[in-house]
Amino acid sequence: MLQPVGEADPADRRRRRRLPSRVSVSVQSKKPLKDSSDTDITGMAMKVSGPDGDLLEYRQVGDWAYLRAGVKPLEKAAGGKLPDPGQLPPDATALKEILGGGWVKMPAGSLTKSTPGKETGSSGAPAADARKKKAIKGLQDLVTREVQLKDTGTKDGADHITATASFKTLLTGLVDELRPLAGDLPPGANLPTSQDLKDAPDKQVTADFAIKNGALSEVSVDLAALADTAKGDKLSLRLRVGQGDQAPAPAQATQIDPATLTQQLLGGLAPQPAL
């Protein structure tokens, strides 16, 4: 598997872990999101940013999906150098484009598996929707059963409600409810197995929900409770909810084959030693 070359100073790595990161997601649909199926989604954008810049950006516009990696911020976050595109094998064209930092594009449908369902003939779409509805119902039941809610009053103009649950119980239940959707995941993406989750921390975590004008405006979770030596430090994961922007298609993007890219990422391409 492709990995960064070299190691940063340990103090640098500790400092980076304390710095905030941000994930922004925007989805456009023909219908309200709660009523939308895959065929109603007209656009999506996701950006993962760190203290040194954007790490990863993904957009779906119409029939095309676009991807760009922030190579320099990724190297700083990983604490090592990624391979130079010029040092990769000649046939690693897709990976070269990614490591070059430019936009690449691929047919949006190529990112998901299509498995014909017995109920639907060749398309499988109604069967997939049925699986999703069943998973959503299972998740609702899981939250009702395992999560303790508490009204904590008003702060900064927002009503706050906390939700507390066992991290291991909630994570295991979440994965179990999503297993029927495993066949709809992109190639190379797999849900954790029961063995993978065996050593998950069995500790209580609390999420804080901020509600303004009857709508959810922010969710924050302190993950420090999961660390063995938290010592009062905070590791906050925060999600802010607001009006999304229309995701434009990048002006220039090189078309690649996602299956080829997956092979090149997982096929044992060895990074070059740092000079």
Side-chain angles (χ1 to χ4, degrees), residues 138-151 161-174 177 203-209 219-221:
L139 293 175
Q140 290 173 335
D141 292 343
L142 173 69
V143 171
T144 301
R145 186 173 65 249
E146 301 293 346
V147 177
Q148 299 176 2
L149 300 178
K150 181 180 179 181
D151 186 342
I161 296 174
T162 60
T164 303
S166 161
F167 177 77
K168 184 174 184 177
T169 300
L170 203 57
L171 181 61
T172 302
L174 171 67
E177 296 297 342
K203 297 181 179 181
Q204 297 287 308
V205 291
T206 298
D208 181 271
F209 297 84
V219 182
S220 62
V221 184

Side-chain angles (χ1 to χ4, degrees), residues 21-27 44-50 52-60 66-70 73-74 103 237-240 245-248:
S21 295
R22 175 177 295 178
V23 178
S24 60
V25 179
S26 178
V27 179
M44 185 179 78
M46 182 183 74
K47 184 187 292 186
V48 182
S49 305
D52 299 304
D54 296 338
L55 304 174
L56 185 69
E57 189 168 0
Y58 170 85
R59 299 179 190 175
Q60 181 179 330
Y66 301 85
L67 182 69
R68 181 178 67 86
L74 277 173
W103 281 100
L237 174 65
R238 185 167 296 176
L239 168 68
R240 289 189 175 94
D245 298 322
Q246 183 70 32

Side-chain angles (χ1 to χ4, degrees), residues 91-265:
D91 59 347
T93 53
L95 188 54
K96 285 182 180 182
E97 292 291 344
I98 294 288
L99 292 177
W103 281 100
V104 298
K105 69 176 184 178
M106 62 209 80
S110 65
L111 297 179
T112 58
K113 298 176 181 178
S114 178
T115 304
K118 293 180 181 180
E119 306 98 314
T120 64
S122 59
S123 70
D129 285 345
R131 290 195 299 272
K132 290 177 184 177
K133 289 179 181 178
K134 184 177 180 180
I136 291 173
K137 178 62 168 60
L139 293 175
Q140 290 173 335
D141 292 343
L142 173 69
V143 171
T144 301
R145 186 173 65 249
E146 301 293 346
V147 177
Q148 299 176 2
L149 300 178
K150 181 180 179 181
D151 186 342
T152 57
T154 302
K155 180 181 178 182
D156 298 329
D159 298 324
H160 284 257
I161 296 174
T162 60
T164 303
S166 161
F167 177 77
K168 184 174 184 177
T169 300
L170 203 57
L171 181 61
T172 302
L174 171 67
V175 172
D176 287 343
E177 296 297 342
L178 293 178
R179 288 201 191 283
L181 303 179
D184 301 321
L185 295 175
N190 297 300
L191 290 172
T193 65
S194 300
Q195 186 65 24
D196 294 332
L197 300 175
K198 184 180 67 173
D199 296 326
D202 192 8
K203 297 181 179 181
Q204 297 287 308
V205 291
T206 298
D208 181 271
F209 297 84
I211 301 172
K212 282 188 177 182
N213 301 320
L216 180 66
S217 61
E218 183 174 302
V219 182
S220 62
V221 184
D222 183 12
L223 301 178
L226 302 179
D228 292 331
T229 56
K231 294 183 180 179
D233 292 337
K234 275 190 170 291
L235 177 59
S236 181
L237 174 65
R238 185 167 296 176
L239 168 68
R240 289 189 175 94
V241 182
Q243 182 67 34
D245 298 322
Q246 183 70 32
Q252 294 182 338
T254 302
Q255 185 173 347
I256 64 169
D257 176 18
T260 301
L261 176 62
T262 301
Q263 284 183 337
Q264 293 170 5
L265 284 171

